[in-house]
């Protein structure tokens, strides 16, 4: 009994230690990347390719996410607020939610799934086929060649994609609320202008920026630290997507609290 | 300067977890010589080569390349040494997102001094040298195993480095191609004074290219000598290896 308990505690301890060590390694990777970004040349060719993959090719996904989240949110709010006679607040609530939470979080989740997993898979494949060793052998610093371009592409793309999602969501909520569900257009706009400020968009974009760092760090780490074999490429891929998504969701709560202190809503 | 030592392994140990792969490798490689390393599959030849350019760090021991101990050299200072050494990985390690031409031209492009036309010309030249014609725009995934190997070889020699490390350059090639690669290895040395380190299982390559042969066994250099001395060596292990004879314990299934 006691032995089992000790074993149990040992197991928890070991896995906690592993988690802490992994987190430390990720911070290290992040740091190395930042230093490299600031001190070495930026590989334009690689960066443009990544920008294309991360930014340009993700537009459809993010657009659909924004449109339908905005639409369904507006509809649901109108259904509920209608009972209180507050239809005209629909736009305000839906748009605020899009700016501050739904736009950044849902876009980040989609990007974690689409881009984070792809990055991890690509890097893991490069690792098991010794391509990363080959880079080092050719006197190329892998962080400079592989990681920095991915960081830059994510940092630039995700805020822009989130802006797109917010725009699409806000537009969709207008079309659902006003023409479709018969909310008064004038009041809708009036309230929107009164209660939604540029800072709400800023909150979304700032969150997007930090989410981009979280996703790209986890994805690159999982790719670079995969073991050997096809199975570990698969594992790196799923872990990148899952861990990045969970980290986005958890950190979002803290970002919300922090940003609410920085930009008080009143 | 005949006897100048370019690479000096001294008591190199390497452990992977519990597995003790290298158990004190000591070996000198002289300038402009062809050192062929033989040994049973899995005995640590590839691991040894990776130590040379700091891709792996030894658990103990010294590896002196051009007067510098790479075992303790930080990654940032490995660049100079890596520029002098070209390596052909056993699996090729071609960049699978780049075409054959971009792969082979990669080391030159990295130097950032050559014009695109210049690079293209040199790429065509080395690809011809390894017997690949008009394959410039293929992707690595579209090549056969032997072709991939030769592209990797082309990438390693294009910069004409001082030292070229070949990890099984002829495995998977047809006999004619093998002969032509052996000749290429010799030509690199004759024309450019390259120091070659060749890992191979092919006795033809051993006798065609080697100035000296080192046999790795159970993590140490079991014997070193010229190919002639190797042939004359009366040691059972050596004779079994070059004769390709397995003993009872190997076939005990
Ligand atoms: N990164 C690694 N992690 C753990 N073990 C490794 C690693 N690389 C090699 N090994 C182990 O080291 C041993 C030697 O491997 P190595 O690749 O050097 O063999 P080799 O002599 O090149 O064989 P072959 O002739 O088949 O290529 C093997 O048992 C292998 O399992
Ligand atoms: Mg090998």
């Amino acid at each position: 009994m006691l032995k089992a308990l000790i074993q149990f505690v040992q197991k928890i301890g070991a896995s906690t230690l592993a988690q802490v060590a992994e987190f430390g390694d990720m911070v290290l990777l992040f740091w190395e990347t930042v230093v490299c970004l600031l001190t070495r040349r930026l590989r334009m060719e690689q960066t443009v390719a990544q920008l294309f993959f991360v930014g340009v090719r993700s537009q459809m996904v993010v657009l659909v996410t924004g449109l339908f989240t905005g639409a369904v949110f507006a509809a649901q709010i109108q259904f509920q607020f209608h009972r209180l006679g507050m239809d005209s607040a629909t736009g305000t609530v839906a748009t605020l939610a899009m700016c501050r939470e739904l736009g950044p979080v849902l876009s980040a989740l989609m990007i974690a799934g689409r881009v984070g997993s792809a990055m991890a898979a690509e890097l893991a494949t490069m690792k098991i086929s010794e391509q990363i060793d080959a880079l080092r052998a050719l006197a190329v610093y892998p962080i400079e060649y592989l990681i920095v371009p991915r960081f830059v592409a994510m940092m630039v793309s995700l805020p822009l994609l989130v802006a797109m999602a917010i725009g699409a969501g806000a537009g969709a909520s207008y079309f659902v609320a006003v023409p479709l569900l018969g909310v008064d257009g004038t009041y809708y706009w009036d309230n929107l202008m009164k209660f939604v400020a540029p800072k709400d968009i800023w909150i979304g974009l700032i969150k997007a920026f930090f989410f981009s760092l979280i996703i790209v760090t986890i994805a690159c780490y999982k790719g670079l630290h995969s073991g050997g074999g096809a199975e570990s490429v698969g594992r790196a891929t799923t872990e990148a997507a899952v861990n990045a998504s969970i980290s986005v969701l958890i950190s979002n709560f803290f970002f919300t609290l922090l940003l609410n202190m920085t930009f008080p809503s009143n | 300067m005949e006897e100048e030592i370019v690479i000096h392994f001294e008591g190199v140990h390497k452990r992977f977890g519990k597995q003790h792969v290298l158990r004190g490798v000591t070996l000198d490689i002289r300038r402009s010589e062809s050192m062929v390393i033989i040994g049973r599959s899995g005995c640590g030849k590839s691991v040894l080569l990776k130590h040379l350019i700091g891709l792996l760090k030894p658990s103990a021991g010294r590896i002196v390349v051009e007067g510098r101990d790479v075992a303790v050299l930080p990654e940032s200072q490995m660049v100079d040494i890596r520029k002098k050494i070209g390596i052909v990985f056993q699996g090729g390690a071609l960049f699978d997102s780049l075409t054959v031409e971009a792969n082979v031209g990669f080391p030159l492009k990295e130097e950032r001094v050559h014009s695109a036309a210049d690079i293209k010309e040199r790429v065509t030249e080395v690809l011809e040298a390894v017997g690949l014609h008009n394959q410039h725009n293929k992707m690595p995934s579209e090549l056969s195993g032997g072709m991939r190997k030769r592209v990797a070889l082309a990438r390693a020699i294009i910069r004409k480095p001082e030292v070229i490390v070949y990890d099984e350059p002829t495995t998977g090639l047809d006999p004619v191609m093998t002969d032509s690669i052996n000749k290429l290895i010799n030509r690199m040395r004759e024309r450019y004074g390259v120091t070659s380190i060749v890992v191979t299982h092919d006795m033809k390559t051993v006798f065609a290219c080697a100035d000296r042969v080192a046999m790795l066994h159970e993590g140490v250099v079991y014997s070193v000598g010229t190919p002639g001395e190797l042939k004359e060596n009366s040691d059972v292990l050596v004779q079994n290896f070059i004769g390709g004879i397995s003993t009872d314990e190997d076939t005990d299934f």
Side-chain angles (χ1 to χ4, degrees):
Chain A
M1 180 62 206
L2 188 67
K3 207 171 151 199
L5 192 72
I6 290 175
Q7 270 176 354
F8 179 68
V9 172
Q10 271 176 341
K11 240 189 196 151
I12 292 185
S15 95
T16 312
L17 274 181
Q19 298 277 321
V20 171
E22 184 169 65
F23 182 72
D25 283 345
M26 279 190 206
V27 173
L28 209 65
L29 174 66
F30 178 77
W31 178 244
E32 275 181 80
T33 309
V34 171
V35 170
C36 182
L37 177 62
L38 297 178
T39 56
R40 287 161 179 256
R41 78 190 168 106
L42 182 63
R43 301 257 178 176
M44 273 333 275
E45 209 175 307
Q46 274 67 37
T47 309
V48 169
Q50 289 300 322
L51 271 171
F52 185 74
F53 173 67
V54 178
V56 180
R57 301 277 295 276
S58 301
Q59 288 182 93
M60 206 53 215
V61 174
V62 167
L63 211 60
V64 171
T65 308
L67 278 175
F68 284 90
T69 314
V72 79
F73 215 62
Q76 200 57 255
I77 290 170
Q78 197 274 341
F79 300 156
Q80 306 307 323
F81 278 25
H82 184 65
R83 301 191 296 187
L84 308 167
M86 285 169 53
D87 298 48
S88 63
T90 304
T92 312
V93 176
T95 307
L96 275 180
M98 271 322 287
C99 289
R100 290 171 159 245
E101 304 293 342
L102 298 176
V105 172
L106 293 182
S107 307
L109 292 180
M110 297 307 285
I111 295 300
R114 199 192 97 86
V115 176
S117 58
M119 278 183 183
E122 194 181 358
L123 293 173
T125 309
M126 289 189 77
K127 175 153 187 237
I128 64 165
S129 57
E130 296 185 314
Q131 291 176 55
I132 294 183
D133 277 348
L135 275 179
R136 293 168 65 200
L138 292 167
V140 174
Y141 185 37
I143 303 263
E144 173 189 315
Y145 188 81
L146 295 172
I147 309 301
V148 168
R150 284 170 169 76
F151 263 68
V152 172
M154 277 290 255
M155 289 190 301
V156 173
S157 300
L158 195 54
L160 292 175
L161 290 169
V162 166
M164 235 169 83
I166 292 174
S173 27
Y174 179 83
F175 279 102
V176 168
V178 179
L180 208 64
L181 298 172
V183 175
D184 190 316
T186 322
Y187 282 120
Y188 185 103
W189 270 116
D190 207 36
N191 281 334
L192 197 67
M193 287 305 146
K194 222 185 284 175
F195 291 106
V196 182
K199 75 167 186 218
D200 295 308
I201 297 174
W202 278 119
I203 287 179
L205 299 186
I206 292 170
K207 279 186 176 180
F209 178 77
F210 286 109
F211 291 158
S212 74
L213 294 181
I214 291 174
I215 296 169
V216 75
T217 307
I218 293 177
C220 289
Y221 174 86
K222 287 290 174 190
L224 291 178
H225 291 254
S226 73
E231 189 204 341
S232 66
V233 175
R235 191 167 338 110
T237 311
T238 0
E239 279 183 8
V242 172
N243 292 12
S245 303
I246 297 221
S247 308
V248 163
L249 289 172
I250 294 175
S251 65
N252 179 52
F253 173 67
F254 296 98
F255 284 132
T256 297
L257 293 186
L258 265 171
L259 287 167
N260 201 51
M261 279 196 280
T262 342
F263 303 96
S265 47
N266 52 22
Chain B
M1 293 303 283
E2 260 276 80
E3 294 290 279
E4 189 192 352
I5 306 291
V6 200
I7 294 160
H8 171 68
F9 292 95
E10 189 181 310
V12 174
H13 286 257
K14 181 65 183 177
R15 287 190 181 81
F16 292 109
K18 283 187 192 129
Q19 195 186 357
H20 197 168
V21 179
L22 302 181
R23 303 169 180 226
V25 173
T26 298
L27 185 65
D28 283 334
I29 292 159
R30 303 176 194 138
R31 188 170 298 283
S32 297
E33 80 167 336
S34 289
M35 170 65 85
V36 173
I37 299 175
I38 57 175
R40 302 288 299 273
S41 179
C43 73
K45 302 181 298 294
S46 299
V47 167
L48 186 69
L49 297 186
K50 283 184 185 169
H51 280 82
L52 201 59
I53 48 171
L55 296 180
L56 291 173
K57 293 286 178 190
S59 311
R62 292 187 341 128
I63 301 151
V64 183
V65 181
E66 305 261 347
R68 301 219 270 173
D69 185 357
V70 299
V72 294
L73 217 55
E75 183 81 9
S76 56
Q77 287 175 37
M78 284 300 305
V79 172
D80 294 338
I81 287 176
R82 286 176 181 164
K83 282 186 174 161
K84 289 182 186 163
I85 302 179
I87 180 164
V88 188
F89 285 87
Q90 190 168 359
L94 298 178
F95 302 124
D96 52 21
S97 60
L98 302 180
T99 61
V100 166
E101 182 177 352
N103 262 289
V104 177
F106 189 92
L108 289 186
K109 198 170 165 212
E110 277 305 308
E111 289 180 348
R112 303 214 290 158
V113 288
H114 310 275
S115 70
D118 195 16
I119 294 177
K120 200 175 171 91
E121 199 187 307
R122 292 270 297 275
V123 167
T124 309
E125 206 178 296
V126 283
L127 281 178
E128 299 273 320
V130 296
L132 289 169
H133 314 276
N134 302 322
Q135 309 284 345
H136 288 58
N137 296 318
K138 283 201 175 154
M139 299 306 281
S141 59
E142 298 166 341
L143 302 175
S144 76
M147 285 159 85
R148 235 173 281 164
K149 195 124 238 179
R150 285 181 279 152
V151 174
L153 186 61
R155 184 177 68 184
I157 63 177
I158 194 166
R159 232 174 1 190
K160 304 200 180 85
E162 289 171 27
V163 178
I164 306 181
V165 177
Y166 307 85
D167 197 347
E168 303 195 15
T170 57
T171 307
L173 300 184
D174 63 72
V176 178
M177 206 61 217
T178 301
D179 187 53
S180 118
I181 297 299
N182 290 345
K183 284 179 180 151
L184 177 73
I185 293 173
N186 286 337
R187 214 158 54 232
M188 289 305 290
R189 188 188 47 161
E190 283 154 20
R191 283 207 198 143
Y192 308 111
V194 166
T195 308
S196 318
I197 302 171
V198 189
V199 164
T200 189
H201 291 302
D202 189 337
M203 285 307 137
K204 273 233 189 77
T205 304
V206 174
F207 292 110
C209 301
D211 293 321
R212 288 194 302 152
V213 188
M215 182 168 163
L216 218 58
H217 183 70
E218 295 189 334
V220 295
V221 176
Y222 187 76
S223 87
V224 201
T226 63
E229 287 166 2
L230 186 78
K231 251 189 193 158
E232 302 300 316
N233 196 325
S234 57
D235 189 90
V236 189
L237 220 74
V238 174
Q239 281 314 316
N240 283 353
F241 192 87
I242 60 174
I245 301 159
S246 65
T247 53
D248 282 348
E249 61 225 66
D250 293 325
T251 49
D252 189 22
F253 181 69

